[in-house]
Amino acid sequence: MIEGKFVTLGVTGGIAAYKAADLASKLTGRGASVHVIMTRSAGEFVRPLTFEALTGNPVHAGLFDSSRLFRMPHIELATRADIIVVAPATANVLGKLAHGIADDLLTTLVLAATCPVLLCPAMNVNMYANRAVQHNIVRLKEYGFHFVDPEEGRVACGHFGRGRLAETGTIISAVEGLIGKTEDMRGLTVMVTAGGTREPIDPVRYISNRSSGKMGYALAGAASSRGARVILISAPTSLEPPPGVELVPVESARDMHEAVMNHYPGAQVVIKAAAVADYRCERVAGHKIKKEGESLTLELVRNPDILADLGRRKRAGVTLVGFAAETRDLEENARQKLAGKNLDLLVANDVTMPGAGFGSDTNIVKLFFAGGKVESLPVMDKTAVAHRILDAVLEIRRGG
Ligand code: CTP
């Protein structure tokens, strides 16, 4: 899956630097072209020769060193890379990246990168738990950096807890997930709804909600990158539709209902990430409402529940995924919606948690499967959450 890919591997100065040699070797073994950058302190733990021998490429260290392969290593190693992996990533490098500091080759080229950057922290247990480090990690996730969290176990200094570099296999799976050519959704038509519907009050005003559409757009982009035909039925957002998806723009819940029902017969997977208004104005004023009285009453009536309607009409072979944005009693509400709307999977998030929900680039969700299984995901960027949801959809379709 990663054959021919250009991987820039940043190795920073922690005891786990020796494990980066195994990673470099296995990535090379899978056909990737691996270019290693070592920070000065990484050189205290492993010699550049190790990586040169394993990858067949020269190792880069200094910002001002010349290179046999690249005229400007700090730019070319960033722009030519399909992915930059930093393993191990020390507390120091996380701190620098979280604050845009570029004082060596690795941090400079990460700033210049437009490809995905995967950070694999490894450090002492107490350092990893330190609030400054955790704040930096949350900030980096918000900036769109990808993470493979450290594992629990005994770390080199004798402490037990979270801080040990993830296994090489876990890091390679994450790399494949980000840049691998998976086509595991080819042949499927996936309908995704996104954004917050707008319910008109008069020609200039409407009722809406805080949904940004980011989760739905991430799902549409992820499904498309995995080979699916994607129909994205979207209420207004400020987002660019991902390349390759068929966009159906809608405004109100009733527009969305109509568009969803029109496309339902051709879809095998339906993911309802939209925040649909439950009520609309009974009467929409034909002209702008003037401020006349001291108060104004709007009479609201129920909108159709699109997802419940899909659940009632569910055909064999269709996988139905709903979302639940909750501010309390998450578990109870999630289970009720899963059963009540005849869903295969419900993605629930507590929108009051920092790093979750509306407008954020990250999300913290729990997956509730119809079979009873529950999976809690850590704070992740919305693209990674999208891929995990699609993995779950395929698992359900395989009967898992
Ligand atoms: N949904 C829908 N049509 C509606 C309302 C919601 O299709 N009129 C879908 C949403 O797209 C989401 C799921 O139902 O996938 C859950 O939405 P949510 O608003 O959290 O739940 P509701 O069922 O509307 O219940 P409540 O508002 O009482 O929490």
Side-chain angles (χ1 to χ4, degrees), residues 10 156 213 231 252 280 304 330 356 393 398:
I231 300 161
S252 68
R280 66 176 184 277
L330 180 102
V393 164
R398 282 193 296 264

Side-chain angles (χ1 to χ4, degrees), residues 193 272-278 303-307 322-326 337 341:
T193 69
K272 287 230 67 232
V276 184
D278 288 323
N303 266 329
D305 188 321
I306 309 169
L307 190 55
F323 272 72
E326 304 292 348
K337 284 176 192 174
K341 299 192 186 193

Side-chain angles (χ1 to χ4, degrees), residues 8-300:
T8 295
L9 173 61
V11 182
T12 68
I15 184 65
Y18 78 95
K19 294 187 183 170
D22 184 40
L23 179 62
S25 165
K26 295 215 164 89
L27 288 169
T28 307
R30 285 168 194 238
S33 165
V34 180
H35 299 265
V36 173
I37 291 153
M38 295 176 75
T39 58
R40 198 146 46 96
S41 38
E44 302 288 332
F45 291 90
V46 215
R47 311 304 302 164
L49 186 63
T50 309
F51 291 106
E52 292 196 357
L54 292 170
T55 64
N57 289 316
V59 168
H60 305 269
L63 194 48
F64 306 105
D65 295 353
S66 58
S67 159
R68 274 191 276 128
L69 291 183
F70 308 109
R71 205 164 55 84
M72 285 201 277
H74 69 293
I75 301 297
E76 286 178 61
L77 284 162
T79 52
R80 291 177 55 176
D82 292 299
I83 188 166
I84 298 175
V85 182
V86 184
T90 56
N92 183 45
V93 83
L94 296 178
K96 287 202 262 182
L97 295 178
H99 293 87
I101 294 170
D103 64 351
D104 61 10
L105 179 60
L106 179 60
T107 49
T108 304
L109 77 88
V110 170
L111 278 194
T114 52
C115 63
V117 180
L118 179 66
L119 303 174
C120 312
M123 65 198 75
N124 163 272
V125 175
N126 296 334
M127 282 173 86
Y128 185 66
N130 183 284
R131 286 186 63 204
V133 173
Q134 287 302 317
H135 271 124
N136 287 336
I137 291 174
V138 169
R139 182 187 277 229
L140 288 163
K141 285 183 178 173
E142 282 169 6
Y143 287 163
F145 286 86
H146 304 274
F147 274 80
V148 178
D149 293 336
E151 290 173 3
E152 267 189 22
R154 204 187 70 83
V155 290
C157 51
H159 283 111
F160 192 88
R162 193 168 290 282
R164 203 167 69 180
L165 183 69
E167 293 296 324
T168 302
T170 312
I171 299 174
I172 290 181
S173 299
V175 170
E176 286 175 343
L178 287 166
I179 60 163
K181 300 179 220 101
T182 35
E183 291 277 296
D184 57 359
M185 300 198 89
R186 181 152 305 284
L188 290 176
T189 297
V190 178
M191 173 163 65
V192 179
T193 69
T197 61
R198 288 181 180 176
E199 308 303 320
I201 298 170
D202 66 18
V204 296
R205 304 181 178 98
Y206 56 81
I207 300 171
S208 193
N209 56 65
R210 293 183 189 277
S211 171
S212 64
K214 284 179 182 170
M215 192 61 241
Y217 277 56
L219 278 158
S224 174
S225 75
R226 291 167 74 154
R229 173 182 172 219
V230 179
I231 300 161
L232 174 60
I233 298 177
S234 177
T237 70
S238 58
L239 306 171
E240 280 293 312
V245 311
E246 295 164 43
L247 180 73
V248 182
V250 295
E251 290 251 340
S252 68
R254 285 199 294 179
D255 297 342
M256 184 172 277
H257 185 256
E258 192 185 325
V260 166
M261 292 308 158
N262 283 344
H263 288 90
Y264 187 40
Q268 290 84 41
V269 179
V270 182
I271 309 180
K272 287 230 67 232
V276 184
D278 288 323
Y279 294 90
R280 66 176 184 277
C281 291
E282 187 176 26
R283 276 178 302 279
V284 178
H287 292 282
K288 187 179 170 198
I289 300 172
K290 290 293 182 189
K291 51 178 177 307
E292 280 160 356
E294 275 311 302
S295 68
L296 173 71
T297 305
L298 296 172
E299 189 77 26
L300 302 181

